[in-house]
Amino acid sequence: MTCGKPVRLDFHSSFDMLEFVQVVCDHVGRMSGLDEDAIHWVSVAVRESVINAIKHGNAQDASKRVHVEFTPLDGEQPGIAIRVRDEGCGFDPAALPDPLAPENILKSTGRGIFLIRTFMDELVLQRAPQGGMEVMMVKRVQPQQV
C-alpha cells in the first residue's frame, strides 16, 4: 500500500465485521507511522464509530451498509484520516447529552463519541451528502521524543 491511497470497506450492518475492520485499521495505522499506543487508541475510536453506525445509525438493519475509509496522511503532518458513514437518518451532535454531567455519570452508555473525541486529534460529525451520518477522524504521528 502506498502512502496516501485510501482503503475502503463497505459492508452490511453486522457486528461480525468489527474484527476485520480492526485488523485493517491496525495495518493502515502502522503503514501511516503511528506508534503502538496511537494504533490502540485509533482502533478503539474506529470500533466505537462502527458500533455506533451499526447500532444507532443503521438500527442494526442488515440491508443498510456501513462505509469505512482509511487514508494514510503524508507530508508535514503524517498520520491517518478515517471516515465512517452509516445509511441512517442521522442526528444532531449538539443534542448529545454530556456524559460527564452528574445525571449521566453512572450510565453505562453514551460515552462513545466522548471517547472518540478524547483519543483522536480531530473529529467532525456531520450528515453525509449521500445520506446518513459521517464521522471523520484524524490521528497524527507524534514527533519522536529525544
Side-chain angles (χ1 to χ4, degrees):
M1 179 174 72
T2 307
C3 226
K5 300 272 183 167
V7 174
R8 293 181 183 95
L9 306 176
D10 180 12
F11 52 92
H12 292 284
S13 291
S14 170
F15 293 115
D16 293 340
M17 292 301 295
L18 283 171
E19 190 69 32
F20 179 70
V21 173
Q22 188 164 347
V23 167
V24 172
C25 178
D26 292 353
H27 179 73
V28 177
R30 280 186 192 86
M31 298 295 292
S32 301
L34 297 177
D35 63 26
E36 288 303 313
D37 282 344
I39 290 168
H40 171 75
W41 296 120
V42 168
S43 181
V44 171
V46 168
R47 186 176 188 87
E48 283 292 330
S49 62
V50 170
I51 288 170
N52 284 348
I54 294 169
K55 184 176 180 181
H56 302 294
N58 290 345
Q60 297 183 22
D61 181 345
S63 69
K64 292 184 178 180
R65 301 185 74 78
V66 176
H67 312 271
V68 183
E69 181 178 287
F70 301 95
T71 304
L73 303 173
D74 48 12
E76 277 186 40
Q77 292 188 312
I80 186 172
I82 303 143
R83 291 176 183 258
V84 177
R85 181 173 61 87
D86 62 50
E87 294 181 347
C89 36
F91 67 94
D92 178 6
L96 290 173
D98 177 2
L100 301 179
E103 65 273 14
N104 298 327
I105 203 81
L106 296 177
K107 289 184 179 176
S108 61
T109 61
R111 289 178 178 73
I113 291 175
F114 172 78
L115 293 173
I116 295 167
R117 233 184 215 96
T118 301
F119 300 149
M120 302 300 284
D121 296 323
E122 297 174 31
L123 174 66
V124 175
L125 304 165
Q126 65 184 17
R127 293 184 193 270
Q130 311 90 321
M133 200 68 187
E134 184 174 58
V135 176
M136 297 180 299
M137 311 171 260
V138 172
K139 186 68 171 175
R140 303 277 181 201
V141 173
Q142 297 303 310
Q144 294 286 334
Q145 298 288 337
V146 192

